Amino acid sequence: MAPPSNVDGTVSISSLHLDVLHHHILSRLDGPSLAALSCTSSELNALSSYDKLWQQICTSTWPSVNHPLVTHAVSTFPSAHRSLFSDSYPLLLHRHSCHDLDRPFPATRELISAVDIYYQNVPIFSTVEATETVTGWFLSSPFRVDLVGPEEFIPTRIQQIGEKNSWLRQLQENITLSWILIDPQKKRAMNMSSQRAVSVRRHWLTGEVQVKFASILAGDGGMGSERESVQCEIMVTCGGEEGGEVHVRDVSMVMEDMEGKVLSGKESLVIVDGAMERGERRKEKSGEEGKERYNEFVGRRRDRRERKHRREKIWDLVCIASGFSSLMAFCSFLLLS
């Protein structure tokens, strides 16, 4: 039986059965489309707020979200999976302003990493890792999260086919990564990845392929301007014999300042907390935006190093001239005496 129509012959959305709306219309939308639809009317906003719809979108976008550790954390979010998608789908938007240094140290006790790697939009690796953030070892040691053990390797469906350079280009064009960092205590999340690789290169010694993803975050203002910006670097190391299957040997994340120094857990936690608190997000208009922000950061870091090198060179010349003048004055004193 056809749904009842209005006087003008049109069919109202409210006249459709809820099962039809959910299973045949709303469930077929992706996250951005469902979010846009929810803004059109209060009725559609209510229909689009069912957590099962957003859970389906999140799990299909990020298979790692199915993990019980993530499911439990997300269940405490204000709008559950809808909040997770809102926090994690857009890329981070870097602001040059530093965080408030007077803000109290974050009370975060644990960070959950939900990581998914895709090749041609098909998941090839998914994992979840919990990191305690209250131990003295974490706070004082360089911040680093490793997802694959030193003796492990993860098989993939990727085949090394073609010449080395062409295969590396193919890898850069087709591999994407999502690294969602979840703070269960603050009930917030953010995606630390640039989505697409910012660089793909072969290690000069081991011959392994290193695929790098990066996000640029506002620094904490420490050590002058060296932390105006910091880089969250995610490295995926791939191995395998030429012509054979590629396997993942290492997936790790570190944070570096403008000088290339790896930040400690305490320093990194402050930056992560600030980025989550501000909630600065921007949808990526093209797959190159993350790479452009990374290249801008690398360019500024290179300029900083060149200026520092010039200052050091000038200072060396001043010291040499000063030493030479002192030596000449001492020789003159000896001759006169």
Side-chain angles (χ1 to χ4, degrees):
M1 182 176 66
S5 59
N6 298 323
V7 177
D8 58 0
T10 60
V11 178
S12 171
I13 191 72
S14 60
S15 63
L16 295 176
H17 196 277
L18 285 178
D19 288 341
V20 175
L21 280 170
H22 286 161
H23 297 295
H24 298 283
I25 298 177
L26 299 181
S27 63
R28 300 189 178 188
L29 299 178
D30 59 12
S33 300
L34 186 60
L37 182 68
S38 68
C39 297
T40 57
S41 70
S42 58
E43 184 179 13
L44 287 174
N45 182 61
L47 291 171
S48 303
S49 63
Y50 285 90
D51 187 56
K52 285 188 176 181
L53 288 173
W54 290 102
Q55 183 179 17
Q56 177 182 335
I57 289 172
C58 287
T59 54
S60 62
T61 306
W62 309 296
S64 60
V65 173
N66 270 319
H67 194 281
L69 194 62
V70 178
T71 302
H72 175 72
V74 173
S75 66
T76 66
F77 280 29
S79 299
H81 288 85
R82 185 174 184 173
S83 295
L84 176 67
F85 187 87
S86 176
D87 286 346
S88 306
Y89 178 74
L91 293 181
L92 291 171
L93 172 60
H94 163 63
R95 298 290 190 189
H96 290 287
S97 58
C98 297
H99 302 317
D100 182 8
L101 298 181
D102 297 327
R103 191 178 69 248
F105 186 75
T108 301
R109 302 185 62 85
E110 181 184 55
L111 291 174
I112 300 174
S113 298
V115 181
D116 299 282
I117 302 176
Y118 312 81
Y119 185 76
Q120 295 178 342
N121 297 322
V122 177
I124 60 172
F125 173 78
S126 296
T127 191
V128 172
E129 180 80 14
T131 305
E132 292 186 7
T133 60
V134 294
T135 63
W137 179 87
F138 171 85
L139 295 173
S140 59
S141 300
F143 177 78
R144 181 182 177 94
V145 180
D146 288 293
L147 302 181
V148 181
E151 302 300 326
E152 295 181 80
F153 67 91
I154 311 299
T156 70
R157 66 180 185 87
I158 308 174
Q159 299 291 325
Q160 296 191 49
I161 301 175
E163 298 180 357
K164 291 183 179 180
N165 290 337
S166 63
W167 182 76
L168 291 180
R169 286 195 300 270
Q170 180 184 359
L171 192 63
Q172 183 162 12
E173 292 171 359
N174 290 287
I175 193 168
T176 54
L177 178 142
S178 167
W179 188 309
I180 299 176
L181 207 58
I182 300 170
D183 185 339
Q185 191 165 354
K186 284 204 166 186
K187 301 175 177 56
R188 294 297 304 268
M190 63 179 178
N191 205 323
M192 306 297 291
S193 175
S194 54
Q195 187 180 10
R196 295 191 176 276
V198 296
S199 71
V200 176
R201 63 185 181 88
R202 194 177 293 275
H203 192 276
W204 66 273
L205 180 60
T206 64
E208 294 177 327
V209 177
Q210 295 179 321
V211 186
K212 181 177 179 179
F213 302 82
S215 282
I216 310 304
L217 309 177
D220 61 1
M223 297 185 69
S225 58
E226 292 178 7
R227 293 192 199 145
E228 170 192 337
S229 303
V230 299
Q231 173 191 197
C232 174
E233 176 186 291
I234 301 171
M235 190 71 73
V236 179
T237 304
C238 303
E241 296 182 1
E242 187 175 349
E245 184 184 72
V246 176
H247 48 258
V248 176
R249 288 185 176 272
D250 179 60
V251 183
S252 61
M253 177 172 67
V254 298
M255 286 199 184
E256 297 181 348
D257 63 14
M258 293 290 288
E259 297 296 320
K261 173 182 174 289
V262 178
L263 304 186
S264 68
K266 182 177 181 180
E267 295 163 336
S268 300
L269 195 59
V270 171
I271 291 168
V272 168
D273 179 74
M276 284 188 178
E277 184 175 307
R278 291 196 316 274
E280 295 175 351
R281 307 290 189 271
R282 177 176 64 185
K283 291 181 181 178
E284 188 179 49
K285 296 180 180 178
S286 69
E288 297 299 320
E289 286 197 20
K291 188 173 182 179
E292 289 174 1
R293 293 196 290 273
Y294 167 75
N295 288 336
E296 178 186 354
F297 174 84
V298 172
R300 287 190 288 119
R301 183 165 66 179
R302 182 177 58 249
D303 293 343
R304 185 186 299 273
R305 286 177 175 174
E306 290 176 354
R307 289 196 299 269
K308 182 179 179 181
H309 178 71
R310 286 196 295 267
R311 287 196 300 268
E312 290 175 348
K313 191 174 182 179
I314 293 173
W315 179 246
D316 288 343
L317 292 174
V318 170
C319 290
I320 292 172
S322 177
F324 182 76
S325 299
S326 300
L327 178 62
M328 293 299 296
F330 179 71
C331 293
S332 299
F333 172 78
L334 292 177
L335 292 175
L336 292 175
S337 60

